[in-house]
């Protein structure tokens, strides 16, 4: 099983993490004369993290990338990384302003073993959300979970 | 660094605990963060600006100073670092735990208070030192010596360490109370001076230690050199705005002042501790209070220093705990050796020393070193030898530890620091290059700056988060189940991998398009009904009860009468054909018939009289139908023995078709003996009979057989018809009282000579057929004429008015007229003979109104129904006079000749012409005197007639052949002949026949077909006969 995840360092995944800098991350350095931070506490409605849209995006990517994929232990780490970066970039393009995207990709071989994956988040349920999509074929399964955390 | 101040101002911030945590997690000091937080943004920005300037190597204002100092520093660094770094670090390490508190608590104000003085002193000293710099440079080679000189310093450091240890011990013991104390102290500080000596002592000592520690922190000094120092200068310059030129001088002034103070303080040292302490304390306090505002400003700059030193401290701090434990052990030993006095002394010494050192701390590094060295040496010398040893031991241990720490710390900074070092411009790059063995420690600075930045950022983020968290609710989401893939069973796995091997899908056929539909509801029964209101007639409502479209097809378009007539005819034809076939097929039967064939006949047929109900019955009478020439009726008498109980006392009449000899067409029964009978003239569907009882009975042969008696005899069912109408008991007034002698139909003239034989039923014919009368003649000479009436509707219940009518019958007789013939006969002059018996009657075929009656006196009376006088009244025989001769048989010629034959009981046969009284011809002896019982004209030949006498002899007469006697005579024996009749048909050219039906005594009835010579007439026979008849008389 090969796992790659894009998520901030403070998350407690013990997996390879490719950190996705938040889109539209405000410059935290305070310059002299710059006005105080405008603490936006809620995303603009149109730019909310919409799980369905994200899911479609993930699905499209998975379908495209894994259409004829076969599991091979050597290639999977690169594949997971590529996938996670790919999806992350796609998500960024979708214009979820001030969202920090965490994309976690898990690819495992289909060998008949049982697998159970779950995620739990400590977040602000009003703004943050997550979605996931599963792709399966005869030789592998791929679980992609995307978390969107609003950056205040 | 003013944690104490901070705390006094911001109690909400639990600094110690938090700081510990933060340090543990990260080397960045929270103090700085706190400072940042407390500082106003403006100041922060100022500081940042200052920082930025500081870091920039090329600051035009400073260039000159820097250059000067750089030279000093270089020299100083080259000389001092190898020696100082380690030592100072060591000390620093030891102090760290305490330092934290000290830094936080009391030190800051004091230090700060002195800072200004120190600045002045330093400036003064710097000038001196600048002069000495050259000398020092020259003495660079004396480094070894300097190192040697380190020992006393080290000793002194050891003693200091010991003191610190003791203090720490005290602290350890009191650590639990520390918080409390601190709070107390803070209160004290807030509320001004205090008399609480112990507290003052602690505070003082802490201050001292702080100073002392500061002196021992070369890192910090270095930093001071790099940052703080310059920064201070810059600060000063920024504070003393516009006085950048005089800044140096001012600084120097300050330093000098401070130096003086320090010296002054040093002189005062020997005085009483308490006194001095108190004084210094007060001084400090005063100063602090007075310069509180300033402190803050200055604190900014100093605090800026803080992180740097603290970084270093922290980097080594990880070992601190180990050392703490070790230190405690050592301290125990110390406790024994040390006395309070020493403690006090060292404390004082240290205090002063620290004061002095504090100055150096703030000063440029170059000045520090020069000032330090002699003191260190002093301090080492002042220690007692016993202690010195201990100190040395401790120092060794510390050294070892420090080396370890150095290794560790050198590893860490290498990672982070290398890139910085490589790119790091300015003096540091030089120094790092020159001090490669100590680069680990150097790297600490780079790391520190990096961390500092990080910390700054983190701090900001924390600030953000702290503020944001008040506005935001964070919570744990429920657990998303991303994937739940159940384990596959072994079998499934096998099937998935291998289950498809060696299999191939060929075809699938599923009968998808054949959809089976089922309806559970039953067929609705429908019926059409109509009704009408108000009702017209009987039919008010109705409908197709039997319903169904087949009705129209079933509707019979049958002409019922025609069909039945056809069927009947066909039936007859078929029956006849079958009989003939049978006759041909059964030679026995035919031969038997042949046996009985008489000489004058060609063939013979025997009617089957062996039927059960005809057995042992004698035929009394035979009568042939004139309309239907092949139909005859035989009258059977009562049987000799009882055979059929039902019929035994009844007389039976059988209607035969001679072509069907196997059985009678109809079987009729009658209660009384039938003496004479006749058929209806046009159609043979009515049979009239006269009985010995004087009654006239009628059978309607068309009647439904169901209303008659039906008897099954020997496998065949027979219908025995009872008379439809009988005159018995009815019409008593007009009815006959004597046995009937003859019964004759009287046909209308129109219907005369009807020859519709085979088509008896047509409406016209029926009505025509019924237009006739029946005349019945009894012995007494009463001739009754009856009208035959057909009822329109049969009444199954019987008729009340018509008593003689059978229930369901439609034919009845109505008395028309009665003619008493005896009257007319009697006044003819035959009165002497009594009453005259009438024996037979015949109506003229050409004129039904005229009739002839045979009497028992040899005369034939001629009468008319309309009371017209018939022209010969009587037909007399050739013999004159009355004779007792019965004229038994009279027969008119069927060929329209007005002649008739009369047979008499004396054997004479007379041929009369209607117009003449006397006979044309009379043959008296043709039968040898035997009575003529039957006489009939041939139906086919006009000149032939047949005679039977009572001796069972049959005579054939042919007038054309012989008018003298019969041409043939045939006695019938041994079976006597009882009755005879003639059937024949002349009209048909080919089918003409003449047959003689003979009823024998045995009961059998034969049909003798006469030979063709008698049957087939000659072409001119009638002419010849007329001629003969004309000639005859």
């Amino acid at each position: 099983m090969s796992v790659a995840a894009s998520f901030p360092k403070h998350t407690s995944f013990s997996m390879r993490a490719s950190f996705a800098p938040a889109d539209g991350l405000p410059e935290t350095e305070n310059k002299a004369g710059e006005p105080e931070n405008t603490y936006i506490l809620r995303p603009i409605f149109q730019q909310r993290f919409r799980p369905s849209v994200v899911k479609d995006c993930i699905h499209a990517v998975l379908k495209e990338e894994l259409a004829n994929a076969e599991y091979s232990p050597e290639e999977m780490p690169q594949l997971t990384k590529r996938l996670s970066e790919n999806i992350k970039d796609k998500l960024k393009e979708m214009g979820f302003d001030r969202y920090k995207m965490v994309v976690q990709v898990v690819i495992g071989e289909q060998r008949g073993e049982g697998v159970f994956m779950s995620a739990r988040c400590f977040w602000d349920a009003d703004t943050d959300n997550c979605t996931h999509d599963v792709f399966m074929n005869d030789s592998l399964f791929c679980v992609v979970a995307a978390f969107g955390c609003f950056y205040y | 660094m003013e944690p104490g101040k901070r705390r006094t101002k911001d109690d909400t911030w639990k600094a110690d605990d938090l700081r510990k945590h933060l340090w543990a997690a990260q080397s960045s000091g929270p103090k700085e963060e706190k400072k940042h937080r407390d500082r106003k943004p403006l100041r922060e920005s100022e500081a940042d600006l200052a920082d930025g300037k500081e870091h920039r190597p090329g600051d035009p204002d400073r260039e000159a100073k820097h250059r000067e100092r750089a030279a000093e520093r270089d020299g100083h660094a080259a000389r001092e670092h190898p020696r100082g770094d380690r030592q100072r670090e060591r000390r620093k390490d030891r102090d760290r735990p305490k330092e934290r508190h000290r830094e936080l608590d009391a030190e800051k104000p004091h230090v700060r208070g002195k800072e200004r003085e120190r600045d002045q002193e330093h400036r003064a000293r710097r000038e001196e030192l600048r002069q000495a710099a050259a000398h020092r440079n020259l003495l660079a080679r004396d480094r070894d010596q300097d190192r040697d000189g380190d020992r006393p310093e080290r000793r002194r450091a050891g003693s200091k360490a010991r003191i610190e240890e003791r203090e720490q011990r005290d602290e350890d013991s009191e650590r639990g109370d520390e918080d409390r104390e601190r709070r107390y102290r803070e209160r004290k500080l807030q509320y001004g001076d205090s008399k609480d000596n112990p507290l003052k002592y602690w505070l003082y000592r802490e201050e001292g230690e702080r100073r002392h520690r500061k002196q021992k922190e070369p890192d910090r000094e270095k930093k001071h050199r790099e940052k703080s120092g310059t920064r201070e200068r810059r600060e000063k310059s920024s504070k003393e705005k516009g006085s950048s030129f005089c800044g140096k001088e001012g600084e120097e002034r300050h330093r000098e002042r401070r130096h003086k103070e320090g010296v002054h303080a040093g002189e005062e040292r020997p005085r009483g501790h308490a006194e001095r302490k108190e004084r210094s304390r007060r001084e400090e306090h005063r100063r602090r209070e007075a310069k509180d505002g300033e402190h803050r400003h200055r604190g900014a700059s100093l605090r800026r220093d803080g992180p740097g030193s603290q970084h270093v401290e922290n980097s080594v701090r990880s070992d601190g705990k180990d050392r703490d434990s070790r230190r405690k052990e050592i301290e125990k030993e110390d406790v024994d050796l040390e006395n309070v006095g020493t403690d006090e002394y060292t404390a004082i010494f240290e205090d002063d020393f620290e004061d002095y050192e504090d100055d150096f701390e703030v000063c440029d590094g170059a000045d520090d070193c020069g000032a330090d060295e002699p003191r260190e040496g002093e301090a080492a010398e002042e220690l007692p030898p016993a202690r010195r040893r201990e100190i040395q031991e401790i120092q060794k241990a510390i050294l070892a530890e420090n080396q370890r720490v150095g290794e560790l710390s050198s590893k860490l900074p290498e990672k982070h620091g290398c890139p910085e070092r490589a790119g790091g411009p300015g003096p540091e790059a030089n120094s790092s290059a020159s001090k490669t063995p100590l680069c680990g420690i150097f790297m600490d600075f780079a790391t520190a700056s990096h961390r500092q930045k990080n910390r700054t950022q983190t701090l900001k983020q924390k600030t953000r988060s702290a503020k944001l968290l008040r506005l935001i609710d964070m919570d744990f989401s429920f657990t998303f189940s991303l994937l739940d893939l159940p384990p596959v069973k072994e079998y499934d796995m096998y099937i998935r991998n291998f289950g498809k091997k060696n299999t191939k899908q060929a075809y699938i056929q599923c009968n998808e398009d054949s959809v089976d539909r089922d309806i559970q509801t039953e067929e609705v029964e429908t019926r059409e009904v109509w009704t009408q209101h108000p009702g017209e007639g009987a039919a008010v409502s109705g409908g197709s009860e039997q319903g169904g479209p087949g009705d129209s097809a079933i509707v019979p378009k049958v002409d019922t009468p025609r069909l039945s007539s056809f069927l009947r005819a066909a039936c007859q034809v078929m029956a006849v054909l079958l009989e003939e076939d049978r006759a041909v097929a059964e030679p026995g039967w035919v031969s038997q018939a042949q046996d009985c064939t008489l000489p004058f006949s060609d063939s013979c047929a025997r009617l089957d009289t062996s039927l059960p109900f005809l057995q042992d019955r004698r035929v009394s009478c035979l009568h042939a139908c004139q309309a239907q020439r092949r139909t005859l009726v035989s009258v059977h008498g009562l049987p000799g023995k009882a055979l059929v109980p039902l019929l035994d006392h009844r007389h039976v009449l059988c209607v035969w078709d001679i072509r069907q000899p196997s059985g009678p067409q109809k079987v009729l029964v009658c209660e009384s003996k039938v003496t004479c009978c006749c058929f209806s003239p046009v159609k043979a569907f009515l049979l009239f009979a006269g009985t010995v009882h004087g009654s006239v009975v009628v059978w309607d042969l068309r009647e439904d057989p169901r209303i008659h008696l039906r008897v099954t005899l020997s496998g065949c069912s027979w219908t025995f018809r009872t008379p439809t109408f009988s005159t018995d008991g009815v019409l008593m007034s007009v009815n006959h009282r004597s046995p009937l002698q003859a019964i004759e139909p009287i046909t209308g003239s129109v219907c005369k000579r009807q020859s519709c034989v085979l088509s008896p039923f047509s409406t016209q014919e029926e009505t025509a057929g019924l237009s006739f009368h029946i005349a019945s003649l009894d012995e007494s000479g009463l001739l009754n004429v009856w009208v035959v009436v057909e009822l329109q509707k049969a009444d199954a219940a019987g008729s009340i008015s018509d008593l003689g009518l059978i229930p369901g019958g439609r034919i009845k007789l109505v008395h028309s007229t009665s003619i008493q013939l005896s009257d007319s006969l009697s006044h003819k002059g035959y009165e002497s003979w009594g009453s005259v018996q009438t024996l037979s009657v015949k109506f003229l075929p050409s004129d039904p109104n005229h009739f002839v009656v045979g009497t028992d006196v040899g005369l034939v009376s001629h009468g008319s129904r309309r009371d017209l006088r018939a022209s010969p009244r009587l037909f007399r025989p050739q013999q004159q006079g009355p004779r007792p001769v019965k004229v038994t048989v009279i027969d008119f010629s069927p060929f329209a000749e007005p002649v008739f034959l009369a047979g008499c009981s004396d054997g004479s046969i007379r041929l009369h012409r209607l117009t003449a009284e006397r006979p044309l011809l009379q043959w008296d002896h043709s039968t040898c005197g035997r009575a003529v019982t039957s006489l009939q004209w041939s139906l086919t030949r006009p000149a032939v007639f047949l005679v039977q006498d009572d001796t069972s002899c049959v005579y054939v007469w042919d007038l054309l052949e012989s008018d003298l006697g019969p041409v043939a005579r045939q006695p019938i024996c041994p079976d006597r002949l009882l009755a005879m009749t003639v059937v024949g048909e002349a009209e048909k050219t080919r089918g003409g026949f003449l047959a003689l039906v003979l009823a024998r005594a045995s009961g059998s009835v034969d049909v003798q077909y006469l030979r063709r010579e008698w049957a087939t007439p000659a072409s001119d026979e009638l002419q010849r006969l007329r001629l003969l008849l004309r000639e005859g008389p």
Side-chain angles (χ1 to χ4, degrees), chain B residues 224 277 290 367 527 678 713 857 941:
Chain B
H224 278 301
K277 257 187 267 170
D367 301 277
R527 192 157 61 98
C678 73
L713 295 169
V857 290
R941 284 187 64 180

Side-chain angles (χ1 to χ4, degrees), chain B residues 188-193 280-290:
Chain B
K188 270 272 151 68
L189 291 170
Q190 279 175 344
Y191 297 133
D193 207 349
S280 66
R281 183 79 200 128
R282 257 173 251 133
E283 262 179 50
E284 273 178 11
H285 208 73
R286 249 177 283 133
R287 252 182 261 149
R288 196 191 301 156
E289 283 176 358

Side-chain angles (χ1 to χ4, degrees), chain B residues 750-763:
Chain B
V750 187
C751 300
K752 193 168 62 180
R753 315 293 293 178
Q754 274 285 345
S755 62
C756 302
V757 184
L758 287 175
S759 59
F761 305 115
S762 74
T763 316

Side-chain angles (χ1 to χ4, degrees), chain B residues 91 143 250 338 393 555 644 666 744 760 785 825 861 1030:
Chain B
R91 282 175 213 146
R143 231 177 260 163
E338 287 171 7
E393 283 172 14
V555 165
V644 181
K666 301 279 186 330
E744 285 292 321
V785 177
L825 287 174
S861 168
R1030 227 177 284 131

Side-chain angles (χ1 to χ4, degrees), chain B residues 763-828:
Chain B
T763 316
Q764 196 183 352
E765 285 178 7
E766 273 188 26
T767 52
L770 284 170
S771 60
F772 65 89
H773 301 271
I774 291 292
S776 60
L777 178 71
D778 63 6
E779 289 178 344
S780 65
L782 179 65
L783 180 70
N784 276 328
V785 177
W786 310 88
V787 177
V788 178
V789 175
E790 186 175 22
L791 299 175
Q792 285 301 319
K793 194 176 172 186
D795 189 356
S799 170
I800 299 167
S801 55
D802 301 321
L803 296 176
L805 190 63
I806 189 175
R810 294 170 62 190
I811 299 294
K812 70 173 183 178
L813 296 174
V814 176
H815 186 256
S816 176
T817 54
S818 293
I819 301 166
Q820 191 51 257
L821 296 177
S822 55
D823 295 343
S824 62
L825 287 174
S826 55
H827 29 251
K828 296 292 173 161

Side-chain angles (χ1 to χ4, degrees), chain B residues 95-114:
Chain B
D95 294 343
R96 204 155 296 127
K98 285 172 252 167
E99 278 166 11
R100 245 182 280 141
H101 298 291
R102 265 175 256 146
E103 284 167 8
L104 291 172
D105 296 342
E107 171 214 48
K108 281 271 159 75
H110 175 69
V111 170
R112 201 118 311 130
K114 283 177 181 175

Side-chain angles (χ1 to χ4, degrees), chain B residues 235-252:
Chain B
E235 275 178 7
K236 266 173 245 156
S237 66
S238 64
K239 270 183 250 167
E240 301 156 15
K241 283 165 193 169
S243 66
S244 59
F245 296 101
C246 59
K248 230 194 259 176
E249 288 177 0
E251 210 178 11
E252 278 171 18

Side-chain angles (χ1 to χ4, degrees), chain B residues 185-303:
Chain B
R185 256 176 273 147
E186 284 162 10
R187 247 174 276 138
K188 270 272 151 68
L189 291 170
Q190 279 175 344
Y191 297 133
D193 207 349
S194 159
K195 264 69 182 177
D196 197 337
N197 280 341
L199 178 66
K200 274 181 198 164
Y201 166 70
W202 280 114
L203 288 170
Y204 179 81
R205 202 174 58 170
E206 276 173 359
E207 278 171 37
E209 278 172 4
R210 165 134 244 108
R211 262 175 264 139
H212 179 65
R213 179 189 55 82
K214 275 189 181 164
Q215 189 227 354
K216 285 177 223 154
E217 283 177 350
D219 284 347
R220 201 200 247 167
E221 283 167 10
K222 267 177 234 159
K223 230 179 274 164
H224 278 301
R225 250 175 281 142
E226 286 176 16
K227 298 176 188 173
S228 314
T230 52
R231 208 183 299 150
E232 267 181 324
R233 262 173 267 144
R234 263 169 240 149
E235 275 178 7
K236 266 173 245 156
S237 66
S238 64
K239 270 183 250 167
E240 301 156 15
K241 283 165 193 169
S243 66
S244 59
F245 296 101
C246 59
K248 230 194 259 176
E249 288 177 0
E251 210 178 11
E252 278 171 18
R253 253 178 273 138
H254 272 291
R255 275 181 200 176
E256 280 170 357
R257 209 197 331 160
R258 269 206 282 180
H259 192 61
K260 278 165 202 164
E261 275 183 10
V263 171
H264 171 71
E267 287 169 359
E268 281 174 359
R269 232 179 280 159
R271 292 179 201 167
H273 300 297
E275 190 189 327
R276 193 187 64 91
K277 257 187 267 170
E278 274 187 280
R279 181 182 50 83
S280 66
R281 183 79 200 128
R282 257 173 251 133
E283 262 179 50
E284 273 178 11
H285 208 73
R286 249 177 283 133
R287 252 182 261 149
R288 196 191 301 156
E289 283 176 358
K291 296 170 189 170
D292 224 343
E294 224 184 285
H295 274 307
R296 258 171 239 154
H297 288 281
R298 295 204 134 217
S301 62
L302 281 174
R303 261 173 238 136

